[in-house]
Amino acid sequence: MRFRQIKLFLPPNNDFYVRKMEYPERIFKRKIYEKILEWKRIKDGSTALLIKGARRVGKSTIAEEFAKNEYSSYIKVDFADAPDALWEAVAHINDRDSFFLQLQFIYNVRLKERKSVIIFNEIQKAPKVREAIKYLVKDHRYDYIETGSLFSIKKNTQDIVIPSEETRIEMYPMDYEEFRWALDDTATVPLMKYTFEKRQGVGDATCRKLMRDFRLYMLVGGMPQSVNAYLDTKNLSAVDATKREIVELYADDFRKLDPTGRATRLFMAAPSQLTGNASRYQVTSVLGRSQNKEDMDELIQDMEDSMAVNFSYHANDPSVGLSQHRNIEQYKMYVGDTGLFITMAFWDNAVTDNIIYQKLLSDKLATDLGYVYENVVAQMLRARGERLFYHTWPTASGKHNYEIDFLLSRGFKICPVEVKSSGYKMHKSMDVFCKKFSQHVGLRYLVYTKDIRKDEQLTMIPVYNCMFI
């Protein structure tokens, strides 16, 4: 048995204590495993695999688990904690016979030609190795899996030739089905998918139960460490402490990206920006006076590359070619994991205590939680590979704006999605949008907290069904 240190919250004095708890080693089932398996089967060593993702989403864990299961032997080279002997070997990486021999001595592992894989973890810390991938792949003795975190992949490879012999896949926090798998539940999500495809309601009582289960996912989030903390303790304050550590890690990474602190402030302000109901992220309200446009464009691109946040861009013309009409100066910023988002929303507290979490879980907290549901919908859509777009336009009076939260391309049509935290009787924006752009609109969805219903051409679905849109 391994030991994990977990911070537990003790009301009412808001103190912490640390207790060592025994827990079984958990390797969560992740859907990306099948993508890695497909790469191995189709590419057969003709490319290296680069797994991109934000920190702590489980990249190195899934790479090592795959190596254990699918190869005769493997070496995991962690450049974040590498011995001096490794850096000596890297210095002579062009002599591949010597390089491979030294690796085997350093890690005490025998590599087998075409039956072994080398994992380069935190590859951004070894740009010379990244550049050498082209020649390692050409050598064809072994397979290679690279993992990298945040912006540093980009920043640390500015002076090298990026290898074209890479297959790149993105890894996100655990989606809802993966979360259910972690809870040893393999039945719920397939049944949810069946009811969605049949447009069949499950009844109000069952829907309330499914919504409560889904809100637990929203609170815990999909970061493996957070899920582990929940399974270990069933204590949401302990989960919150884990999430705070991850948020602080991200904030530190953004400070390295931008020592002025702008990126960190933009990141930490994401929840408050969504609660303001503005039609865009208001940079000046966070950073003050107007910023240099070129600097901000580069900074925003770097933050998007981090995968710690998800950007949704305004589509000036909501037609099928959404990317062609993207307004890069008008966007919304969502947190990549909604569990982290909720912790950030209550950041001023020393810890988000169990009372707040229980009220959120029961949907009884006296606040508008629409922005939380909007964030989780963005997360679910992004995890499916969707690029995020939205559209706003003024009302007839010009005093307010209509807004469609998300626009999805489906064939030659646009699928508008409007998110509500509870009620569904009023959907003026959706009605006006579908009339104004009738030639482009196909399926249309209102996402809310109730059971599946139809209102003429509008399909109203509970938020947990967004993963099937």
Side-chain angles (χ1 to χ4, degrees):
M1 301 283 282
R2 287 182 54 195
F3 289 92
R4 177 194 300 273
Q5 284 194 337
I6 296 181
K7 293 178 180 177
L8 294 179
F9 171 71
L10 284 178
N13 59 1
N14 291 5
D15 288 338
F16 288 101
Y17 74 93
V18 176
R19 187 176 77 186
K20 286 188 175 180
M21 302 185 66
E22 291 186 349
Y23 73 100
E25 180 72 19
R26 294 190 186 94
I27 303 295
F28 295 118
K29 181 180 178 182
R30 305 296 299 269
K31 294 177 181 178
I32 198 173
Y33 192 102
E34 294 302 317
K35 293 183 180 180
I36 304 174
L37 194 62
E38 183 180 19
W39 159 79
K40 182 178 185 293
R41 178 178 57 83
I42 294 176
K43 297 299 184 180
D44 189 29
S46 62
T47 67
L49 180 71
L50 173 62
I51 305 175
K52 298 168 54 182
R55 288 238 246 166
R56 303 294 177 88
V57 296
K59 300 182 300 299
S60 60
T61 299
I62 196 66
E64 188 166 10
E65 181 68 7
F66 184 83
K68 289 178 182 177
N69 295 340
E70 307 298 337
Y71 292 89
S72 297
S73 65
Y74 73 95
I75 290 176
K76 180 182 176 182
V77 179
D78 189 350
F79 289 113
D81 185 25
D84 291 340
L86 176 65
W87 295 114
E88 291 178 7
V90 167
H92 301 93
I93 196 170
N94 292 334
D95 182 352
R96 280 171 286 286
D97 289 339
S98 175
F99 178 68
F100 294 139
L101 185 61
Q102 289 182 69
L103 282 185
Q104 292 173 86
F105 275 119
I106 293 168
Y107 293 96
N108 195 27
V109 172
R110 183 71 180 270
L111 295 174
K112 301 177 183 180
E113 190 166 333
R114 298 306 312 136
K115 294 182 179 180
S116 297
V117 62
I118 301 174
I119 301 170
F120 293 128
N121 194 44
E122 302 291 355
I123 186 67
Q124 72 276 3
K125 295 181 180 295
K128 188 171 182 178
V129 176
R130 180 90 188 280
E131 189 171 38
I133 285 294
K134 173 184 179 71
Y135 305 102
L136 296 178
V137 167
K138 186 177 180 180
D139 179 88
H140 203 60
R141 267 178 268 187
Y142 313 114
D143 285 356
Y144 304 93
I145 298 177
E146 309 161 80
T147 70
S149 300
L150 288 175
F151 59 89
S152 45
I153 287 181
K154 176 180 176 181
K155 292 296 181 183
N156 289 1
T157 55
Q158 289 178 332
D159 299 323
I160 71 170
V161 177
I162 300 298
S164 58
E165 294 76 12
E166 276 182 345
T167 297
R168 303 178 187 183
I169 58 176
E170 295 179 336
M171 189 171 187
Y172 295 93
M174 297 167 70
D175 69 15
Y176 186 51
E177 186 168 23
E178 291 171 329
F179 180 76
R180 298 309 307 177
W181 290 343
L183 300 183
D184 200 26
D185 173 10
T186 58
T188 295
V189 173
L191 288 171
M192 284 166 36
K193 184 177 181 181
Y194 175 83
T195 61
F196 172 80
E197 291 174 345
K198 297 294 184 180
R199 300 297 193 267
Q200 178 179 331
V202 297
D204 291 341
T206 299
C207 182
R208 284 194 294 271
K209 191 265 183 190
L210 292 175
M211 276 303 309
R212 181 180 173 87
D213 290 344
F214 184 76
R215 282 195 294 272
L216 176 63
Y217 167 66
M218 294 168 63
L219 294 171
V220 174
M223 305 301 283
Q225 278 184 290
S226 304
V227 178
N228 252 322
Y230 175 74
L231 294 175
D232 291 340
T233 68
K234 298 299 191 292
N235 182 297
L236 292 172
S237 289
V239 175
D240 188 73
T242 300
K243 291 190 293 179
R244 284 173 183 266
E245 292 174 359
I246 298 173
V247 171
E248 288 171 351
L249 180 69
Y250 283 5
D252 287 343
D253 280 335
F254 282 124
R255 288 187 191 97
K256 295 173 187 175
L257 167 67
D258 177 44
T260 68
R262 292 176 304 171
T264 300
R265 281 182 283 164
L266 292 173
F267 170 64
M268 295 301 296
S272 62
Q273 284 288 312
L274 285 178
T275 61
N277 292 319
S279 62
R280 68 172 72 196
Y281 191 107
Q282 302 287 341
V283 173
T284 54
S285 69
V286 178
L287 301 182
R289 58 185 176 80
S290 298
Q291 304 292 310
N292 179 278
K293 182 181 180 303
E294 291 185 1
D295 287 348
M296 285 306 303
D297 286 348
E298 183 179 358
L299 185 63
I300 293 302
Q301 184 60 59
D302 287 340
M303 294 186 70
E304 186 170 16
D305 289 344
S306 79
M307 296 178 64
V309 289
N310 295 318
F311 279 81
S312 180
Y313 289 95
H314 190 273
N316 292 338
D317 179 8
S319 58
V320 177
L322 291 171
S323 296
Q324 301 175 26
H325 305 291
R326 180 184 68 159
N327 185 346
I328 62 173
E329 296 180 8
Q330 187 172 349
Y331 53 82
K332 292 187 176 184
M333 185 193 301
Y334 300 97
V335 180
D337 177 74
T338 301
L340 300 184
F341 178 96
I342 289 174
T343 291
M344 292 164 65
F346 295 96
W347 192 256
D348 289 342
N349 298 342
V351 68
T352 309
D353 62 41
N354 269 320
I355 295 175
I356 292 176
Y357 270 118
Q358 290 300 331
K359 286 187 176 181
L360 281 165
L361 189 60
S362 302
D363 205 20
K364 293 180 180 178
L365 192 66
T367 184
D368 179 12
L369 295 182
Y371 57 92
V372 182
Y373 288 108
E374 193 176 326
N375 195 91
V376 79
V377 171
Q379 178 183 344
M380 295 167 80
L381 294 174
R382 194 69 193 91
R384 292 183 51 206
E386 302 280 358
R387 299 293 172 182
L388 304 180
F389 301 94
Y390 71 102
H391 184 69
T392 64
W393 70 104
T395 61
S397 67
K399 295 181 179 180
H400 305 285
N401 282 335
Y402 292 120
E403 180 172 322
I404 297 297
D405 297 309
F406 300 100
L407 297 174
L408 309 175
S409 292
R410 293 293 182 265
F412 295 104
K413 295 290 184 178
I414 290 295
C415 171
V417 178
E418 186 174 351
V419 181
K420 290 185 175 292
S421 59
S422 55
Y424 62 91
K425 293 182 180 180
M426 298 297 293
H427 37 79
K428 184 68 174 178
S429 291
M430 179 68 74
D431 295 339
V432 175
F433 179 87
C434 291
K435 182 178 181 180
K436 183 177 181 180
F437 301 102
S438 58
Q439 72 274 24
H440 298 309
V441 175
L443 296 174
R444 58 207 70 174
Y445 293 97
L446 186 142
V447 177
Y448 69 143
T449 60
K450 308 296 182 183
D451 201 5
I452 294 177
R453 289 180 173 86
K454 288 282 290 184
D455 184 357
E456 297 182 354
Q457 292 180 283
L458 180 64
T459 302
M460 296 172 288
I461 61 172
V463 64
Y464 53 73
N465 274 342
C466 279
M467 59 195 301
F468 310 123
I469 292 178

